Amino acid sequence: MIIWISFIALVSVFLFLDVFIFNRNAHVISIKEASKFTALWVGIALAFTIAVYLIYDGNYIDNPDQLTAWNASLKYLTGYLIELSLSIDNIFVIAVIFKSFSIDQKYQHRVLFWGIAGALVFRALMILFGITLINEISWMTYIFGGFLLYTAFKMLKSDDEEFDPKKSSIYKLARKVFPVTDIMYGQQLFIKKMGKNIATPLFLALVVIELTDVLFALDSIPAILAITKDPFLVFSSNILAIMGLRSMYFFLSNLLDKFKYIHYSLVAILSFVGVKMILVHHIHFPEWISLAVIFISLFLGAILSKYSTIDNKNENL
């Protein structure tokens, strides 16, 4: 348990430094600042690959699948890249939620902090539940694989669908449970009026983001379970991908229109891991194939998006 406790303690320290030291005062996060923190989080996650190698090489943690240190490192890295790429779709939705609730940029970081803190707990429970299901019921891999293929199909068909947070059942339920004000009160989630706690738009945005992340986790958790069922690898890769989501949001939020074909990259990645999970008892896919599919899918999506943007500019001229 020393490794588990150390990892959770390290994540807790990072969260504390982020919200109480680096972002103590509410401010608009510039692209320059966001790019620095994005590079920092990605750097930490990639450096953790070395830590994974040393942990499994020294047998410092339970190794239920008897993975070599090299295979454990590859599976961690593949899982992290899958989670990171799938979180791009989450960024699109977060941007829409903030716009819908008219949340000022300088308060968005605090909402994302509490949203991610909650996501850490929810995802840990979902990972535990998913691994238990697969270990106890072998045919659950077919269910998870089929679900990923269904999700990829829905994602492929959802290009023209506009997500309106204020029409969602999550938002409607929150308004029934809490009295709500449409006025912002700085970073406060609740205000006290006439002896009642009244939710601010900031809290409503937090609730919608939190529960939306749970829905996204229904896709991402099975996706990473297609790579490995090792609890520590699944948990660490998932958590480190989520930790970098805030800075990545501020880095990419102003560039979303330039990456419209990345959506299809995610469809390709989900389809691949879905097929891989369905065939897991019959065909073994080397980890380098998974990594290649992720890199090629994202690369092609980025290239197509770039040339599409250039063509649109030429047409406007």
Side-chain angles (χ1 to χ4, degrees), residues 16-29:
F16 177 84
L17 290 174
D18 191 11
V19 75
F20 294 110
I21 304 298
F22 300 121
N23 293 285
R24 184 174 182 179
N25 298 317
H27 65 284
V28 176
I29 296 179

Side-chain angles (χ1 to χ4, degrees), residues 1 15 20 46 73 92 98 136 162 196 213 240-241 276 300:
M1 293 298 293
L15 282 172
F20 294 110
L46 294 179
S73 302
F92 281 82
F98 281 143
E136 295 297 325
E162 286 290 333
K196 291 184 179 180
D213 181 76
L240 288 175
K276 182 177 180 180
L300 290 177

Side-chain angles (χ1 to χ4, degrees), residues 120-150:
L120 298 181
V121 177
F122 283 122
R123 293 205 177 204
L125 294 174
M126 293 177 74
I127 288 169
L128 178 63
F129 182 67
I131 291 174
T132 302
L133 273 179
I134 288 179
N135 287 335
E136 295 297 325
I137 309 172
S138 60
W139 50 263
M140 279 303 298
T141 56
Y142 301 115
I143 302 296
F144 282 170
F147 179 73
L148 289 175
L149 290 176
Y150 172 69

Side-chain angles (χ1 to χ4, degrees), residues 141-182:
T141 56
Y142 301 115
I143 302 296
F144 282 170
F147 179 73
L148 289 175
L149 290 176
Y150 172 69
T151 302
F153 177 76
K154 278 206 313 178
M155 191 180 289
L156 185 64
K157 294 292 184 180
S158 65
D159 268 356
D160 299 324
E161 293 180 10
E162 286 290 333
F163 172 65
D164 187 351
K166 291 188 176 180
K167 291 182 179 178
S168 67
S169 55
I170 297 169
Y171 173 76
K172 293 175 181 177
L173 179 62
R175 287 190 69 97
K176 288 180 180 179
V177 175
F178 301 100
V180 175
T181 177
D182 293 328

